């Protein structure tokens, strides 16, 4: 049976009030050091403007080459958790599940009742989960926040849909089982693919899901300023780099055969993933609950009280209960850095 929840009004709640992205708050909540970057200077802004003009010219003169280069650039994130940022604190550890896959593991406050995996988007960061991780820990969860490939050092490497899906599968198979899994942005799509390929979790949360993935990729291209044939080639190039998960792969058959309980959390004014596309997911997934929030957007929804409460309530309802030391958590390899 399908369940679509009533929309929630978040009275006067703003990202600024939550201050979820402030470095000091994130450090305290998440348990590792966060680097701060100096503001962009006027000279750098001018250089950026000049590069943009060159890019627009290239997109008209050589659209195929420009699209291919931009597709690779699009899939490389500047967010990373390098050795300097891995100085963890009490109750928090850094574990490698594979050479290019790692997790920040948070021990629960008190006796462990369940285990949760959180996965950020391809251009996101585990830092976005600071407040959510703290709330889940207070609810008795051991929380693994997955650091996707391409986010472990400052060298910018591609993180495609294939990369995301492989990392989720590897983490689940190596460090699982998990009582709940959450994917933000494209990692929700990757989580759907990974579930279809055999990983298991009784409860799943999708946050800000671009279920019609090709729309998100096209938006990414327009933000570079490209259009027309170059934009079409850009979407195709990103799709090829994510093989075997093309951006127009039908998701409906995958969702229709799922047996997990799903909570889909979305902001009504999400600029990157239109909320209207979520309606179909709520009707096709057999046991789905959709929560639409009036405040927040694609990323800031992760820092707001009402969505965090909804996610925590949903996941903790499926925890098997206090297990103390009876069930040893699977371990990765402790990174010495």
């Amino acid at each position: 049976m399908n369940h679509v929840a009533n929309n929630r009004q978040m009275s006067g709640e703003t990202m600024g009030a939550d201050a979820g992205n402030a470095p000091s708050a994130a450090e305290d909540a998440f348990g590792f050091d966060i680097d701060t970057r100096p503001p962009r200077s006027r000279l750098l802004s001018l250089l950026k403007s000049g590069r943009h003009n060159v890019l627009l010219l290239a997109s008209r003169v050589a659209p195929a080459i420009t699209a291919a280069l931009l597709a690779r650039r699009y899939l490389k994130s500047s967010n990373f958790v390098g050795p300097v940022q891995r100085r963890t604190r009490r109750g928090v550890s850094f574990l490698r599940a594979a050479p290019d896959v790692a997790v920040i593991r948070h021990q629960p406050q008190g006796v462990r009742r369940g285990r949760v995996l959180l996965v950020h988007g391809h251009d996101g960061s585990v830092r976005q989960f600071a407040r959510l991780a703290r709330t889940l820990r207070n609810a008795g969860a051991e929380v693994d926040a997955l650091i996707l490939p391409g986010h472990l050092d400052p060298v910018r490497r591609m993180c495609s849909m294939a990369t995301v899906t492989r990392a989720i599968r590897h983490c689940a198979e190596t460090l699982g089982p998990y009582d709940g899994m959450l994917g933000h942005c494209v990692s929700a799509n990757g989580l759907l693919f990974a579930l279809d390929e055999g990983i298991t979790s009784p409860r799943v949360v999708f946050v800000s899901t671009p279920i019609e993935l090709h729309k998100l990729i096209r938006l990414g291209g327009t933000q570079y300023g490209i259009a027309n044939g170059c934009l079409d080639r850009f979407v195709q190039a990103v799709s090829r780099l994510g093989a075997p998960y093309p951006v127009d792969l039908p998701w409906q058959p995958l969702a229709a055969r799922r047996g997990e309980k799903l909570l889909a959390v979305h902001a009504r004014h999400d600029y990157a993933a239109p909320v209207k596309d979520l309606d179909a997911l709520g009707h096709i997934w057999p046991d789905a609950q959709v929560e639409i929030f009036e405040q927040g957007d694609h990323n800031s929804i992760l820092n707001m009280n009402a969505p965090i409460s909804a996610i925590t309530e949903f996941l903790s309802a499926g925890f098997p209960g206090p297990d103390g030391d009876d069930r040893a958590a699977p371990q990765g390899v402790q990174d010495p850095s």
Side-chain angles (χ1 to χ4, degrees):
M1 180 180 295
N2 171 255
H3 301 281
V4 179
N6 293 328
N7 299 343
R8 292 194 183 190
Q9 177 69 36
M10 297 163 58
S11 303
E13 184 177 33
T14 65
M15 185 174 175
D18 285 333
N21 282 342
S24 60
E27 287 173 5
D28 292 341
F30 212 57
F32 63 84
D33 296 328
I34 291 179
D35 58 331
T36 56
R37 301 177 186 277
R40 189 179 297 272
S41 69
R42 178 174 175 78
L43 176 59
L44 288 178
S45 297
L46 291 173
L47 290 173
K48 182 179 179 181
S49 177
R51 289 197 301 267
H52 182 67
N53 292 333
V54 172
L55 172 62
L56 294 181
L57 177 61
S59 69
R60 293 190 291 267
V61 175
I65 295 175
T66 303
L69 292 173
L70 285 179
R72 299 183 72 86
R73 171 63 183 83
Y74 174 75
L75 294 174
K76 295 179 181 179
S77 175
S78 60
N79 291 315
F80 68 94
V81 181
V84 174
Q85 289 80 42
R86 296 175 199 160
R87 293 194 293 266
T88 57
R89 303 177 183 182
R90 183 177 181 180
V92 183
S93 55
F94 176 86
L95 303 172
R96 285 189 184 270
D100 63 345
V101 181
V103 301
I104 300 291
R105 173 168 293 173
H106 307 73
Q107 296 302 322
Q109 297 292 340
V111 177
R112 187 179 68 198
R113 298 181 55 240
R115 304 187 68 240
V116 174
L117 177 68
L118 308 178
V119 190
H120 64 80
H122 93 278
D123 195 27
S125 168
V126 290
R127 299 178 182 92
Q128 294 174 284
F129 295 131
R131 296 193 65 209
L132 176 59
R134 180 176 58 197
T135 305
L136 287 168
R137 292 175 67 192
N138 289 338
E142 179 179 79
V143 180
D144 281 358
L146 174 57
I147 305 173
L148 289 172
H151 296 72
L152 281 170
D153 57 62
V155 178
R156 302 179 73 163
R157 296 183 174 87
M158 283 199 305
C159 184
S160 68
M161 183 55 68
T163 309
V164 171
T165 305
R166 173 180 60 83
I168 293 172
R169 286 188 56 186
H170 192 90
C171 190
E173 293 164 357
T174 304
L175 303 178
Y178 293 101
D179 302 302
M181 297 184 180
L182 177 149
H184 176 244
C185 191
V186 298
S187 288
N189 302 66
L191 181 50
L192 174 58
F193 297 143
L195 288 166
D196 193 64
E197 293 169 359
I199 70 167
T200 59
S201 177
R203 289 179 178 249
V204 178
V205 179
F206 289 176
V207 183
S208 304
T209 311
I211 196 66
E212 298 292 347
L213 187 57
H214 61 95
K215 294 182 181 180
L216 177 71
I217 306 305
R218 195 168 189 86
L219 174 63
T222 62
Q223 291 176 334
Y224 286 117
I226 59 176
N228 304 323
C230 186
L231 180 57
D232 294 337
R233 289 181 171 89
F234 170 81
V235 175
Q236 295 164 9
V238 172
S239 185
R240 287 193 298 271
L241 291 170
Y245 311 101
V247 298
D248 57 354
L249 179 70
W251 58 268
Q252 293 87 347
L254 282 63
R257 56 178 174 256
R258 300 305 334 141
E260 302 84 3
K261 292 182 179 295
L262 170 70
L263 171 64
V265 173
H266 218 90
R268 184 172 301 283
H269 305 292
D270 191 321
Y271 64 91
V275 68
K276 62 183 177 62
D277 293 340
L278 209 62
D279 291 341
L281 177 64
H283 288 90
I284 292 173
W285 193 293
D287 192 354
Q289 175 183 344
V290 178
E291 293 273 10
I292 309 298
F293 295 90
E294 298 300 323
Q295 302 295 325
D297 58 29
H298 189 73
N299 289 308
S300 66
I301 192 171
L302 288 170
N303 292 294
M304 294 187 160
N305 292 332
I308 288 175
S309 295
I311 292 168
T312 303
E313 290 170 9
F314 173 79
L315 290 174
S316 60
F319 290 166
D323 52 26
D325 295 327
D326 294 336
R327 184 182 66 174
Q331 297 293 320
V333 178
Q334 181 79 42
D335 193 288
S337 56

